[in-house]
Amino acid sequence: MSTKTDKIDRLAELTAATDHAAGAGLWVEAWRRLKTSKMAVIGASVIAVFVVFAVIGPWIAPYDPTAQLWRGEVLTNQNVFVGPRAENWLGLDHLARDELSRLLVGARQTLLVGIVATLLGFTVGALIGGASGAALVLGGRAGRRFDTVVMRVIDMMLALPSLLLAVSVAAVLGQSLTTVMIAVGVVQIPVFARLLRGAMLAQGGADYVLAAQALGVRKRRIALGHVLPNSLSPVIVQGTLSLATAIIEAAALSYLGLGNPDAAVPEWGVMLAQAQEYFDSAPMLAVYPALGIIITALGFTLLGEAMREALDPKLRS
């Protein structure tokens, strides 16, 4: 857990050193660095392609992704599969459905799960972390006690492997697409909570906070009106990184059979699980969705890391 918390705390520290950026504001300077970062350009390009296909996929898919139009050509009991050809660019799956159509439509499901799960984790985590950080900034024995209790619960959640925690939540809630979103979102909650709390704590000693206190501004207004908004930069960066994690973990839950109970609905994790049985005879059925998951997660990771570096004062010239 120490490595995970160290990374979160380091990202939170970025907020403390961004008050005196010379010339332009923090985000203007970060944007300038991002435009010249090859890692950011590659990551953003991958994400853009993924989002476009996820949005328009159902309209450009050549066939109905659930229709078994070539049933007589695929004989799984005889290891007879159909590979790429003119009418089916990526071939047919084990039920004689067009693989390309299923990949295009499945991209939307994958994007939907990732975004909803990340928003859930961000919202709940920000509420918890913001309350804990505000309690510390406000000071007082009650505030410190509240922060201690909340952070110990968060630390216990961080101590659990993320996939194990997600599987546990999904197993309790039952098999459904909503369950996957909630399970992955719960995994993200402690990350966002600790990150925002750490960022607010780092901002608590900033010059503008001391000046506001000297002018007699109420602590509650300082904490919620000034410290909290100025602590969101690393949380936004983490949101980009969490999208990559959410996509991978959602695919893992679907692969384990905890996702959408309707196996006919295309989703990359489900497609990967279904292809596992026929890996020896038709390995590409597993390779296609796996590549989709890997490349998409890589795109979000590259952009998130580039944003982190752009905000890091130690890496600025």
Side-chain angles (χ1 to χ4, degrees):
M1 185 191 73
S2 59
T3 302
K4 185 187 297 186
T5 55
D6 288 345
K7 289 181 179 180
I8 296 172
D9 292 340
R10 172 60 192 141
L11 187 56
E13 290 173 4
L14 299 183
T15 308
T18 56
D19 296 329
H20 307 292
L26 169 63
W27 285 103
V28 174
E29 183 180 350
W31 172 245
R32 290 174 181 171
R33 291 174 60 86
L34 282 174
K35 288 192 296 184
T36 60
S37 170
K38 292 182 179 179
M39 184 165 60
V41 172
I42 294 174
S45 300
V46 171
I47 294 171
V49 172
F50 170 62
V51 171
V52 168
F53 279 129
V55 172
I56 68 174
W59 287 279
I60 65 174
Y63 304 101
D64 182 350
T66 62
Q68 303 176 24
L69 301 177
W70 299 272
R71 190 179 306 175
E73 299 183 37
V74 177
L75 304 173
T76 56
N77 57 341
Q78 300 178 24
N79 290 330
V80 176
F81 293 86
V82 177
R85 59 185 183 179
E87 60 266 45
N88 309 107
W89 290 2
L90 298 182
L92 305 176
D93 71 354
H94 63 291
L95 294 178
R97 298 171 297 193
D98 183 62
E99 186 73 3
L100 176 59
S101 299
R102 293 184 63 78
L103 282 173
L104 290 173
V105 177
R108 174 177 291 189
Q109 289 281 87
T110 302
L111 178 63
L112 176 64
V113 172
I115 290 179
V116 173
T118 301
L119 286 176
L120 175 62
F122 174 86
T123 303
V124 179
L127 288 174
I128 296 174
S132 184
L136 279 179
V137 174
L138 292 173
R141 183 178 300 177
R144 290 193 295 271
R145 286 180 177 176
F146 175 79
D147 174 72
T148 299
V149 172
V150 171
M151 283 301 105
R152 295 299 75 78
V153 175
I154 294 298
D155 288 343
M156 286 189 292
M157 294 179 68
L158 284 172
L160 293 173
S162 57
L163 184 57
L164 177 60
L165 179 58
V167 169
S168 300
V169 173
V172 171
L173 297 179
Q175 182 185 15
S176 71
L177 187 62
T178 303
T179 292
V180 172
M181 297 177 185
I182 295 175
V184 176
V186 168
V187 172
Q188 306 289 351
I189 290 174
V191 176
F192 285 111
R194 186 178 180 90
L195 181 57
L196 183 56
R197 180 257 189 188
M200 292 183 68
L201 184 60
Q203 284 284 331
D207 292 342
Y208 72 88
V209 174
L210 299 178
Q213 291 175 343
L215 292 173
V217 180
R218 297 179 61 182
K219 288 186 175 181
R220 180 173 299 179
R221 183 177 178 183
I222 295 174
L224 301 180
H226 299 282
V227 175
L228 179 59
N230 286 321
S231 302
L232 292 177
S233 298
V235 182
I236 294 173
V237 174
Q238 181 60 40
T240 306
L241 295 170
S242 294
L243 270 169
T245 305
I247 289 173
I248 294 174
E249 290 176 346
L253 291 178
S254 297
Y255 179 81
L256 295 174
L258 297 172
N260 195 333
D262 186 0
V265 177
E267 197 274 323
W268 289 352
V270 174
M271 293 173 64
L272 185 60
Q274 292 174 342
Q276 200 69 15
E277 183 180 351
Y278 311 101
F279 189 79
D280 292 337
S281 304
M284 296 308 295
L285 295 181
V287 171
Y288 294 140
L291 282 177
I293 294 168
I294 293 170
I295 294 174
T296 303
L298 178 62
F300 282 109
T301 301
L302 289 176
L303 181 59
E305 288 295 330
M307 292 175 64
R308 182 191 64 79
E309 292 181 2
L311 291 169
D312 196 333
K314 292 183 178 181
L315 299 176
R316 295 196 189 118
S317 56

